[in-house]
Amino acid sequence: FDRDLEEDIDSETSGYYKRVLISALQGGRKEVTEEEWETIWEDGVSEIIDYEQAVGDAEELLEAGKEIVGTNEDVFIRIFALRHIFQLRSTFKEYHKMAGCSILETVESETSGDFCSILKSIALFIVNRPKYFAE
């Protein structure tokens, strides 16, 4: 194939859905390093999570969704696209404590269409990978 995937996504999709796909394609997500995997293996996942960031991100998601009329999609895109799986899992737990509902419930109520579908897919993959693949 002699095509550019980013150009195809740019020409074939639109809106916030396109922005999530482009963000994922550009590879800006913080990935777990080899050293962090060793730490997880030896000391557990809690050793690599930035809990202050998780609380801050959860607050931002709450302020960008449930607490305003409309939704600040940029906040959702930035957090969902840039944080590694363990950081997002911690953020989603903090969000649930603050909001009284899951991030999945908020995504369903605050977004729509393909944008909603892709955020739900990311969130479900983070929260419950077996269920994600079962669905």
Side-chain angles (χ1 to χ4, degrees), residues 90-134:
S90 181
T91 296
F92 295 166
K93 285 179 184 177
E94 292 299 325
Y95 181 87
H96 191 270
K97 289 179 198 174
M98 292 175 191
C101 64
S102 72
I103 193 69
L104 283 165
E105 292 170 304
T106 296
V107 165
E108 287 177 340
S109 68
E110 297 294 326
T111 63
S112 62
D114 290 335
F115 183 58
C116 178
S117 294
I118 198 165
L119 290 184
K120 281 174 45 181
S121 292
I122 294 167
L124 187 56
F125 182 82
I126 298 299
V127 172
N128 189 337
R129 193 175 298 183
K131 185 175 180 181
Y132 169 81
F133 285 111

Side-chain angles (χ1 to χ4, degrees), residues 5-134:
L5 182 57
E6 188 169 342
E7 287 177 10
D8 285 349
I9 289 171
D10 188 52
S11 67
E12 300 296 324
T13 62
S14 63
Y16 297 114
Y17 178 71
K18 173 169 77 173
R19 290 183 49 203
V20 173
L21 291 174
I22 297 292
S23 293
L25 183 63
Q26 291 175 340
R29 179 182 302 276
K30 159 77 169 80
E31 295 298 337
V32 178
T33 65
E34 188 173 325
E35 182 179 296
E36 288 171 324
W37 280 114
E38 289 175 19
T39 299
I40 291 169
W41 184 257
E42 293 172 9
D43 303 320
V45 72
S46 63
E47 296 299 312
I48 69 155
I49 294 174
D50 181 338
Y51 289 100
E52 287 181 24
Q53 183 179 58
V55 169
D57 285 349
E59 288 172 350
E60 279 191 77
L61 288 167
L62 187 59
E63 292 167 4
K66 277 186 76 169
E67 291 189 346
I68 63 170
V69 175
T71 306
N72 184 343
E73 291 85 356
D74 293 333
V75 171
F76 281 82
I77 293 168
R78 178 176 46 80
I79 292 170
F80 276 57
L82 296 180
R83 305 295 186 248
H84 64 68
I85 184 173
F86 302 114
Q87 190 66 40
L88 280 172
R89 192 172 288 155
S90 181
T91 296
F92 295 166
K93 285 179 184 177
E94 292 299 325
Y95 181 87
H96 191 270
K97 289 179 198 174
M98 292 175 191
C101 64
S102 72
I103 193 69
L104 283 165
E105 292 170 304
T106 296
V107 165
E108 287 177 340
S109 68
E110 297 294 326
T111 63
S112 62
D114 290 335
F115 183 58
C116 178
S117 294
I118 198 165
L119 290 184
K120 281 174 45 181
S121 292
I122 294 167
L124 187 56
F125 182 82
I126 298 299
V127 172
N128 189 337
R129 193 175 298 183
K131 185 175 180 181
Y132 169 81
F133 285 111

